[in-house]
């Protein structure tokens, strides 16, 4: 075979190989990919925004309906399912509280609100986050008890709560964790 012919054969085979590789990939990902995301997540994020009382850096002003919720500052979605998987608003000078709507973001794997001024109790609904691996709420003003339902977060590997006003779970007085 002449070198020219070999090149054509190679290009031909390469094309078939690419086709074969693409075909199962596309049929596996395309039908299950969600374009719009889940309304539950959108409503939960809007509810979280409502509980923010101070936002001097105007982080939350970008949380409006002109952007898909997956593109909001601090929000990361799974690329295919468009479910919210990470909420990360580190050191944004935010004050406010978390409400039970956090438990509706049921696909969350990580929450990082380190170094803000969140206060109030950590809601029991955190226990509904069955995929949560990391909950990092250090350096805020969370108070009350650590929610007992956190024990339902079977995937939880990292729990950071230092520098809050939480009650010592083994005593009843308030401590600085
Ligand atoms: C949205 O999410 C909720 C809770 O995870 C689920 O029950 C519901 O089926 C989802 N809706 C769609 C359209 O995927
Ligand atoms: C959270 O989900 C529950 C149903 O599971 C619903 O009744 C409630 O309205 C949701 N909260 C928000 C803020 O979307
Ligand atoms: C919504 O957020 C985007 C992105 O930050 C911003 O450009 C736009 O002005 C905002 N719209 C409103 C109505 O606040
Ligand atoms: C807390 O967990 C208990 C089961 O141990 C459950 O019945 C209850 O609904 C959970 N509370 C919340 C607010 O999710
Ligand atoms: C919070 O903890 C997670 C998990 O260990 C880590 O990836 C993240 O960097 C921490 N956040 C800060 C601000 O230290």
């Amino acid at each position: 075979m002449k070198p020219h012919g070999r090149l054509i054969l190679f290009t031909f085979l390469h094309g078939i190989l690419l086709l074969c590789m693409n075909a199962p990939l596309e049929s596996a990902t395309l039908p299950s990919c969600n374009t719009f995301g889940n309304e539950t997540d959108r409503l939960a994020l809007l509810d979280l925004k409502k509980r923010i009382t101070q936002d001097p850096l105007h982080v939350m002003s970008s949380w409006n309906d002109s952007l898909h919720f997956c593109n909001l500052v601090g929000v990361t979605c799974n690329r295919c399912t468009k479910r919210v998987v990470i909420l990360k608003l580190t050191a944004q000078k935010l004050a406010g509280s978390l409400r039970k709507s956090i438990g509706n973001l049921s696909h969350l794997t990580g929450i990082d609100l380190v170094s803000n001024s969140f206060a109030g109790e950590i809601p029991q609904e955190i226990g509904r986050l069955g995929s949560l691996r990391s909950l990092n709420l250090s350096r805020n003003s969370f108070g009350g008890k650590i929610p007992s339902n956190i024990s339902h977060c079977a995937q939880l590997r990292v729990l950071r709560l230092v520098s809050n006003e939480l009650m010592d779970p083994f005593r009843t007085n308030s401590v600085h964790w």
Side-chain angles (χ1 to χ4, degrees):
M1 206 188 282
K2 280 182 287 183
H4 185 63
R6 216 180 291 162
L7 183 67
I8 290 176
L9 184 65
F10 174 77
T11 311
F12 180 68
L13 285 177
H14 189 66
I16 290 185
L17 196 68
L18 278 182
L19 274 178
C20 292
M21 279 167 57
N22 277 342
L25 206 79
E26 275 177 22
S27 58
T29 52
L30 274 184
S32 58
C33 266
N34 187 326
T35 326
F36 303 107
N38 185 304
E39 184 67 4
T40 304
D41 285 1
R42 193 181 71 84
L43 292 175
L45 289 169
L46 285 178
D47 191 63
L48 288 177
K49 177 182 173 173
K50 271 199 258 165
R51 313 300 175 177
I52 302 294
T53 53
Q54 283 175 45
D55 179 13
L57 304 179
H58 305 291
V59 181
M60 290 291 152
S61 64
S62 76
W63 282 38
N64 63 43
D65 272 331
S66 67
L67 290 175
H68 188 278
F69 63 75
C70 290
N71 297 324
L72 301 178
V73 174
V75 174
T76 305
C77 287
N78 175 291
R79 216 159 41 91
C80 187
T81 62
K82 302 280 194 301
R83 298 302 302 251
V84 177
V85 289
I86 294 171
L87 186 64
K88 183 175 167 72
L89 292 162
T90 317
Q92 298 293 330
K93 299 193 190 297
L94 295 169
S97 55
L98 285 183
R99 293 301 166 95
K100 52 187 181 181
S101 50
I102 191 83
N104 284 14
L105 294 169
S106 52
H107 288 232
L108 274 177
T109 61
I111 301 176
D112 185 337
L113 301 176
V114 173
S115 293
N116 286 286
S117 301
F118 283 93
E121 297 199 359
I122 303 169
Q124 285 287 355
E125 282 75 5
I126 211 94
R128 293 174 56 196
L129 304 179
S131 305
L132 193 66
R133 287 199 294 267
S134 150
L135 178 61
N136 203 339
L137 303 178
S138 300
R139 298 197 288 279
N140 278 283
S141 302
F142 285 108
K145 292 188 211 143
I146 299 173
S148 52
N149 276 22
I150 209 165
S151 62
H152 296 314
C153 301
Q155 303 296 318
L156 198 64
R157 297 291 176 271
V158 177
L159 176 61
R160 297 204 172 131
L161 301 171
V162 291
S163 287
N164 278 286
E165 284 144 36
L166 293 159
M167 252 144 61
D168 184 334
F170 306 109
R171 291 185 213 120
T172 46
N173 55 326
S174 208
V175 288
H176 229 58
W177 273 63

